[in-house]
């Protein structure tokens, strides 16, 4: 006896954006907590040591926030003017900040008054950082100079006057205590060595540099300025590796994910883009409400903090993973149930009888098997099925049509049931993948129900809707046909060109072939 | 009154426009807008009472204004203002309004006479006047300026009584103590001066940015057992530019404590502050702070010493437009100023645009932490002026004079430090006696030109938006551009878009063509436009077929059903006509009971039968 063959459900490619691992990872954050600061948030910096507090520089204050606190746990407000670039030391115990009046101040995290004040810059200091040996501070200022300071003596060690415009960003190497990098509005990024008096490397970014970043290995340098993010290979003497242009306004801040696999850039166009550091393609992007000035990622990407021009600090925490584990799992048979007896080796006189594996049939298949066609159709017209898997519904309609019983299955329905069918048609008729089947079904429905039309206002309305839709679709397809004509013209000109070129090729090839033949 | 300065290019200038309620009964509200006009509104019925344009209104914009204390015969309640509490003005000060300008002159305007009373120029400031305060008793006027000096004026004689250097940088705010013997001045730090000797009595830390407002909050010290020397123990309030904290300071006998006693936190920079004074120890001070974001924060607090944490507001008031229908979402209406009425239980709110503000009295409900008032201001745009009672004077302007349209950000009146040509303009003003109605002047100011210019503006920005959206792949931005129905706009945009964005646009359109016909039809418009406009460019592309192959296939697969669909559509049309017809016949008695065509077989037919009637009826 031939067994029942289940209806083949046609699969269609899923439309829309592809969901990647990155999308899942970067979407896995809670709704942002918004904190209003006193002015534009120019810098956010995470302490490298637990409990991973972060310092926020806005207006003339530096606030230090805890991981989940929405109130600052500490405030440094003893600035006469706007403060800039509050940065933690590697051990998380000291904090250095520049200021609009040209001073650089060093704070103890537990203290209130500055431990050291480095005087020497004549204009606003926009960037400060600790060197890798923890005992020096590098600062760059609007007076075009870069200075290196000694923390214990509070004295100036070196001054570099190589930039010809404001120095607005910089960072020190994490490995070598003598190396640091500064970016300036004169379009250059320079690498300085404290052992020499001059810069050791200079690269031309092409736009005023707003932010620089060194990879943890120190081999790659990322600079941001204008709409470009550029990656340079320092070991090859400053060769440009990649130039990225994915923002439509100036890129203001850069940040690396904790694994070093992703690069983040924030811009005045209110977006944060995530790049893969292997392919340098955009793998994800975040939207924010205002222009972004500063961006920081916590340890293990637990938190994304973004500071904006309107003084709002947006803090996103990663969703905790524990919740997913707690879902109750259905108890399934143990593994040995499935392998029971399978490892039995056949002896010489044994006759092996295979019991045919029990076929699991879907409910609609079971109905179809027993020729309960109306019921099968009812089952797939259920809202749970039509919304989630419309392809099943369409496949069943197609199968019924193939059997020639679609008219029977559709007939004899009351107002409610017929409106279900019509709803489905209205929803899916315009999709090209379903259209051929559904148009057929629609014609059959009209044929069947033509005599009773006008009896139910609900159904009449549905027919009106359907008619409107079909009209629109026809207009649309007419437009498409016109466009197709245009494209045919375009392609025709192309073909002619190709054709001529092909002819030339053959004419060129002919003598060669002859030679080979001869 | 605390009044904000005029908007200038200076980033540290206070936000908001200078405005003030008249003292004692708050019958009037004076507002000096950035286009140089001084308008006085009646608070009771929201009418324009007077309008005055100073002669040099474009070069010397009004930066601050202050009402003179009320006349002697007007007995006012002492609660209103501490510095006007024992107001004994001289009789010739007739509701004067003092205006400070950006060029350093001070104008005295009489609201009773409706004209300029006098000018204080000689020996005064040579830079922007930041704040003006009237002395409540002596009829003196104090002013401070960007030129670092404070000047004491004799108003009757229009002469400088005394001028001294107040700070190392510009002096931005002033306040006179309740007893009239001390003066507070502030740049970034706050100083307390003894008025007799002009010596500094106390220093206070102040703010990081220029202080925009100073105000005494109490008249009597909190501890009444000690003898009161007029100043010790009093509290005062200060707000600064770009600072969300309002600080409260106490004048102490010992000169040690320099930090603020307490602070109030608000959501944005304060632009207007008003408060009620507490009579006794138990009654709290009520404070209304208008912020730059258009909200009003109300505080109610008994000032009794040091408080570490910043206090948050008890009540916040916002005003929004009603969201009519689905499409228009409620929009916030900015509040410009707020003043307590004399009963302390209601608040006068000024909101809308400074060009045509609406003034409303709102009762206070202290229990609700948030009040959102829904007001429709769209219909009160036409300003109504009772010409009979106003004395409007319009300055005669020569043809080169450029009138700046109010309300466009970044277009403030240019401040030129050139000395105004006073005599010439004076004489011209007298000749300009004919009154022009405000409608005519509005027409002259081209208020409604943005509507006409909208098309140009959009086509200018659409290609930019489209390019930006394609480059950063911004879904929202692309939606904004691509979902336009205006065919002209589409054409213009496609014409002006840069060539390198053509292929990205085609790819984006490919994505969007797959959707519902409703939205996809718009995309076809774009596609056709691109193909027609950029046909020559496209045909030069070497890899055109692979680039557009998917698009072509997609379209081709979609139109495959065209024939069947048309067939179905025919059926549906028939069906629908039947439905509508049956509905019609149900609704109204059918007019044609008689058949349109009656065919009777002739009697002379070969069968000789009774006449058989065949009826055809047409609809």
């Amino acid at each position: 006896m031939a067994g029942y063959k289940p209806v083949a459900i046609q699969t269609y490619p899923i439309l829309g954006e592809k969901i990647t691992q990155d999308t899942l990872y970067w979407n896995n954050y809670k709704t942002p907590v918004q904190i209003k600061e006193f002015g534009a948030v120019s810098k956010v910096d995470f302490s490298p040591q637990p409990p991973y507090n972060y310092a926020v520089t806005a207006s003339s204050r530096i606030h230090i926030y805890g991981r989940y606190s929405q109130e600052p746990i500490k405030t440094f407000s003893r600035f006469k003017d706007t403060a800039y670039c509050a940065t933690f030391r590697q051990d998380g115990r000291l904090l250095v900040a520049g200021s609009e009046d040209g001073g650089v101040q060093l704070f103890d995290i537990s203290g209130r008054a500055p431990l050291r004040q480095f005087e020497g810059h004549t204009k606003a200091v926009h960037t400060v950082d600790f060197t890798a040996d923890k005992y020096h501070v590098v600062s760059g200022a609007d007076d075009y100079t870069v200075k290196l300071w000694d923390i214990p003596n509070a004295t100036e060690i070196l001054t570099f006057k190589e930039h010809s415009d404001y120095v607005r960003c910089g960072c020190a190497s994490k490995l070598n205590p003598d190396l640091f990098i500064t970016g300036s509005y004169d379009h250059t990024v320079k690498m300085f060595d404290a052992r020499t008096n001059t810069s050791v490397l200079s690269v031309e970014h092409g736009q005023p540099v707003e932010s620089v970043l060194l990879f943890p290995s120190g081999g790659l340098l990322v600079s941001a300025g204008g709409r470009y993010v550029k990656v340079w290979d320092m070991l090859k003497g400053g060769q440009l590796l990649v130039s990225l242009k994915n923002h439509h306004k100036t890129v203001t801040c850069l940040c690396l994910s904790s694994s070093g696999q992703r690069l983040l850039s924030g811009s005045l166009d209110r977006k944060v883009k995530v790049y893969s550091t292997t392919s340098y393609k955009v793998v994800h992007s975040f939207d924010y409400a205002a222009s972004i000035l500063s961006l920081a990622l916590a340890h293990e990407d637990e938190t994304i903090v973004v500071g904006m021009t309107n003084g709002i600090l947006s803090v996103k925490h990663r969703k905790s993973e524990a919740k997913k584990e707690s879902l109750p799992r259905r108890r399934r048979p143990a593994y040995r149930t499935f392998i029971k007896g399978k490892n039995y080796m056949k002896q010489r006189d044994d006759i092996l009888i295979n019991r045919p594996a029990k076929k699991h049939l879907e409910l609609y298949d079971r109905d179809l098997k027993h020729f309960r066609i109306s019921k099968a159709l009812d089952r797939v017209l259920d809202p749970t099925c039509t919304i989630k898997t419309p392809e099943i519904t369409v496949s069943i309609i197609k199968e019924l049509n193939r059997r020639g019983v679609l008219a029977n299955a559709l007939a004899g329905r009351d107002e409610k049931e017929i409106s279900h069918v019509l709803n489905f048609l209205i929803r899916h008729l315009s999709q090209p993948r379903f259209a051929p089947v559904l148009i057929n079904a629609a014609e059959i429905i009209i044929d069947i129900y033509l005599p009773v039309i006008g009896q139910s206002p609900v159904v009449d309305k549905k027919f009106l809707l359907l008619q409107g839709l079909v009209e629109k679709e026809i207009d649309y397809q007419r437009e498409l046909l016109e466009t197709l004509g245009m494209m045919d013209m375009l392609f025709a000109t192309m073909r002619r060109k190709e054709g001529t070129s092909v002819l030339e090729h053959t004419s060129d090839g002919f003598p060669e072939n002859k030679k080979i033949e001869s | 009154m605390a009044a904000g300065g005029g908007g200038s290019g200076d980033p540290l200038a206070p936000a908001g426009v200078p405005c003030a309620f008249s003292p004692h009964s708050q019958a009037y509200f004076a507002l000096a807008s950035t286009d140089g006009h001084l308008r006085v509104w009646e608070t009771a019925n929201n009418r324009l009472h007077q309008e005055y344009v100073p002669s040099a209104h474009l070069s010397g914009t009004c930066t601050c204004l202050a009402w003179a204390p009320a006349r002697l015969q007007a007995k006012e309640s002492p609660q209103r203002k501490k510095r006007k509490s024992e107001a004994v003005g001289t009789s010739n000060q007739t509701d004067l309004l003092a205006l400070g300008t950006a060029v350093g002159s001070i104008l005295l305007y009489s609201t009773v006479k409706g004209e300029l009373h006098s000018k204080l120029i000689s020996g005064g400031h040579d830079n922007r006047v930041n704040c003006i305060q009237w002395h409540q008793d002596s009829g003196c006027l104090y002013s401070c300026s960007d030129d670092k000096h404070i000047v004491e004026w004799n108003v009757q004689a229009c002469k400088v009584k005394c001028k001294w250097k107040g700070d190392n940088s510009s002096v931005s705010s002033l306040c006179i103590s309740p007893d009239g013997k001390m003066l507070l001045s502030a740049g970034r730090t706050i100083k307390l001066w003894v008025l007799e000797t002009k010596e500094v009595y106390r220093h206070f830390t102040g703010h990081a940015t220029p202080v925009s407002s100073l105000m005494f909050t109490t008249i009597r010290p909190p501890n009444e057992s000690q003898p009161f020397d007029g100043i010790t123990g009093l509290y005062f309030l200060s707000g600064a530019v770009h600072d969300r904290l309002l600080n409260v300071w106490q004048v102490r006998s010992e000169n040690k404590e320099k930090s603020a006693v307490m602070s109030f936190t608000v959501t944005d920079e304060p632009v207007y502050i008003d408060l009620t004074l507490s009579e006794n120890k138990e009654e709290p001070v009520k404070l209304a702070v208008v912020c730059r974001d258009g909200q009003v924060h109300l505080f109610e607090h008994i000032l009794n010493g040091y408080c570490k944490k910043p206090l948050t507001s008890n009540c916040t008031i916002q005003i929004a437009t009603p969201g009519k229908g689905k499409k228009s979402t409620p929009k916030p209406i900015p509040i410009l100023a707020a003043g307590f009425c004399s009963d302390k239980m209601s608040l006068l709110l000024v909101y809308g645009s400074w060009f045509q503000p609406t003034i409303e009295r709102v009762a206070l409900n202290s229990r609700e932490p948030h009040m959102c008032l829904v007001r429709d201001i769209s219909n009160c745009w036409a300003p109504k002026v009772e010409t009979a009672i106003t004395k409007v004077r319009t300055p005669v302007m020569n043809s080169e004079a450029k009138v700046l349209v109010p309300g466009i950000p970044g277009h403030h009146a240019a401040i030129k430090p050139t000395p105004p040509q006073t005599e010439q303009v004076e004489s011209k003003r007298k000749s300009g006696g004919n009154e022009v109605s405000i409608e005519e002047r509005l027409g002259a100011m081209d208020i409604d030109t943005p509507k006409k210019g909208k098309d140009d503006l959009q086509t200018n920005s659409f290609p930019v938006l489209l390019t930006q959206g394609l480059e950063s792949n911004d879904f929202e931005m692309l939606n904004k551009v691509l979902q336009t129905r205006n065919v002209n706009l589409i054409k213009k945009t496609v014409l002006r878009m840069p060539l390198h964005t053509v292929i990205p646009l085609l790819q984006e359109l490919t994505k969007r063509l797959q959707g519902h016909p409703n939205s996809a039809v718009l995309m076809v418009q774009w596609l056709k436009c691109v193909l027609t406009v950029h046909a020559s460019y496209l045909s030069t592309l070497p890899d055109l077929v692979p680039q557009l192959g998917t698009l072509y296939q997609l379209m081709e697969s979609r139109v495959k059903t065209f024939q069947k669909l048309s067939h179905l559509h025919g059926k549906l049309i028939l069906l629908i006509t039947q439905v509508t017809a049956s509905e019609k016949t149900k609704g109204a008695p059918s007019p044609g009971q008689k058949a349109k065509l009656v065919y009777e077989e002739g009697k002379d037919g070969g069968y000789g039968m009774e006449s058989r009637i065949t009826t055809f009826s047409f609809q």
Side-chain angles (χ1 to χ4, degrees), chain B residues 327-343:
Chain B
K327 282 182 184 170
S328 66
T329 48
K331 281 181 192 148
I333 304 170
I335 301 176
L336 303 172
F340 283 100
C341 298
S342 48
D343 61 352

Side-chain angles (χ1 to χ4, degrees), chain B residues 377-441:
Chain B
I377 56 162
S378 56
N379 53 355
C380 51
W381 260 99
K384 34 190 190 269
V385 187
E386 304 221 337
T387 42
I389 56 161
T390 53
K391 299 197 169 177
V392 181
R393 292 182 181 253
T394 46
V396 175
M397 286 182 290
N398 48 4
S399 57
E400 296 106 78
K402 193 181 172 190
V403 181
L404 294 174
V405 180
I408 298 171
H411 287 254
H412 296 299
I415 296 163
K416 291 172 206 150
T418 50
Q421 306 165 333
T422 41
E423 284 99 3
Q424 278 188 13
V425 183
E426 286 270 341
S427 60
K428 273 182 182 174
R429 273 203 308 122
K430 273 169 194 145
S431 64
N434 56 333
E435 291 188 354
V436 186
S437 77
I438 199 146
E439 280 88 349
E440 279 171 311
R441 253 187 294 157

Side-chain angles (χ1 to χ4, degrees), chain A residues 166-364:
Chain A
Y166 297 162
V167 181
R168 281 291 165 89
C169 55
C171 69
S173 164
K174 295 267 192 306
L175 301 174
N176 190 327
D178 294 315
L179 284 182
F180 52 88
I181 281 164
T182 55
S184 157
Y185 275 14
D186 62 3
H187 302 191
T188 60
V189 179
K190 288 182 191 284
M191 178 181 259
F192 294 99
D193 192 335
R195 293 165 293 197
T196 65
N197 282 331
T198 52
S199 65
V200 289
L201 197 70
S202 173
V203 293
E204 185 75 24
H205 181 82
Q207 262 87 25
V209 185
E210 298 280 354
S211 180
V212 290
L213 181 86
L214 261 182
F215 271 64
S217 65
L220 291 183
L221 166 75
V222 189
S223 63
R227 291 167 51 196
Y228 291 90
V229 175
K230 294 187 176 177
V231 185
W232 312 83
D233 192 338
M234 300 314 274
L235 301 179
K236 282 185 189 165
Q239 192 192 22
L240 178 63
L241 282 186
V242 196
S243 173
L244 303 165
K245 188 187 173 192
N246 292 90
H247 288 282
H248 62 257
K249 282 185 186 165
T250 302
V251 183
T252 52
C253 46
L254 293 170
C255 173
L256 266 185
S257 77
S258 57
S259 64
Q261 299 294 307
R262 299 285 178 266
L263 175 71
L264 282 82
S265 68
S267 153
L268 294 182
D269 65 1
R270 304 182 294 193
K271 281 183 186 302
V272 171
K273 303 248 171 181
V274 185
Y275 308 88
S276 153
T277 53
T278 48
S279 65
Y280 289 102
K281 293 259 164 62
V282 177
V283 292
H284 194 72
S285 114
F286 299 102
D287 281 341
Y288 283 92
S291 297
I292 294 162
L293 286 184
S294 53
L295 161 74
L297 273 183
H299 178 72
E300 297 292 327
D301 303 342
E302 285 295 326
T303 317
I304 301 175
V305 184
V306 165
M308 289 172 266
T309 47
N310 59 356
I312 285 180
L313 189 72
S314 157
V315 185
K316 274 190 199 172
H317 294 289
R318 181 167 283 285
K319 280 180 195 157
S320 51
E321 306 286 326
K323 269 185 184 170
K324 279 180 184 166
E325 292 297 308
S326 63
L327 279 172
R329 276 184 63 186
R330 218 180 91 195
R331 205 177 144 73
R332 294 179 187 281
Y335 176 61
R336 58 171 185 274
T337 326
F338 296 106
I339 58 160
K340 196 175 166 187
K342 295 273 175 170
N343 54 357
Y344 179 76
M345 293 299 287
K346 192 175 129 183
Q347 302 293 313
R348 202 164 54 108
D349 293 333
D350 287 350
I351 300 163
L352 193 70
I353 297 168
N354 270 330
R355 190 199 285 170
K358 195 180 173 191
K359 249 192 238 164
H360 174 75
L361 284 181
E362 293 291 337
L363 289 172
Y364 52 80

Side-chain angles (χ1 to χ4, degrees), chain B residues 153-173:
Chain B
W153 299 87
N154 184 341
V155 176
Q156 280 97 330
C158 295
K159 276 185 184 151
V160 176
K161 262 172 92 176
C162 184
K163 179 175 176 179
W164 73 97
K165 191 173 177 186
D167 208 333
N168 284 328
S169 56
S170 61
V171 187
S172 59
S173 192

Side-chain angles (χ1 to χ4, degrees), chain A residues 16-28 262 274 276 281-285:
Chain A
E17 292 281 304
K18 205 177 168 190
I19 295 169
T20 58
Q21 210 61 33
D22 275 292
T23 323
L24 294 176
Y25 185 80
W26 295 108
N27 274 337
N28 193 20
R262 299 285 178 266
V274 185
S276 153
K281 293 259 164 62
V282 177
V283 292
H284 194 72
S285 114

Side-chain angles (χ1 to χ4, degrees), chain B residues 292-306:
Chain B
R292 196 179 171 181
D293 56 3
Q295 295 183 20
V296 175
H297 297 276
L298 297 175
F299 297 88
E300 216 174 304
H301 194 73
I302 301 172
L303 297 170
N304 53 359
Y306 190 69

Side-chain angles (χ1 to χ4, degrees), chain B residues 406-520:
Chain B
I408 298 171
H411 287 254
H412 296 299
I415 296 163
K416 291 172 206 150
T418 50
Q421 306 165 333
T422 41
E423 284 99 3
Q424 278 188 13
V425 183
E426 286 270 341
S427 60
K428 273 182 182 174
R429 273 203 308 122
K430 273 169 194 145
S431 64
N434 56 333
E435 291 188 354
V436 186
S437 77
I438 199 146
E439 280 88 349
E440 279 171 311
R441 253 187 294 157
L442 278 177
M445 285 157 90
D446 278 349
I447 284 279
D448 51 357
T449 39
K451 205 180 169 190
K452 206 175 76 188
K454 207 178 167 186
D455 249 348
D456 299 330
L457 198 122
Q458 276 195 338
T459 42
N460 281 337
S461 65
F462 260 47
V464 179
L465 268 181
L466 182 67
T467 326
Q468 288 185 346
L470 286 171
E471 272 167 6
S472 66
N473 210 355
D474 189 331
F475 190 71
E476 301 269 310
M477 213 182 253
L478 285 173
N479 263 355
K480 207 188 234 171
V481 177
L482 293 178
Q483 287 181 351
T484 175
R485 280 171 196 279
N486 188 344
V487 182
N488 260 336
L489 193 61
I490 294 176
K491 241 177 220 164
K492 277 184 187 166
T493 311
V494 171
L495 262 175
R496 287 178 196 191
M497 65 189 256
L499 273 187
H500 64 89
T501 53
V502 170
I503 292 294
L505 175 65
L506 285 178
Q507 280 161 356
E508 181 64 32
L509 289 175
T510 313
K511 259 189 239 166
R512 287 168 184 253
L513 276 174
Q514 303 170 20
H516 197 267
N518 271 346
S519 56

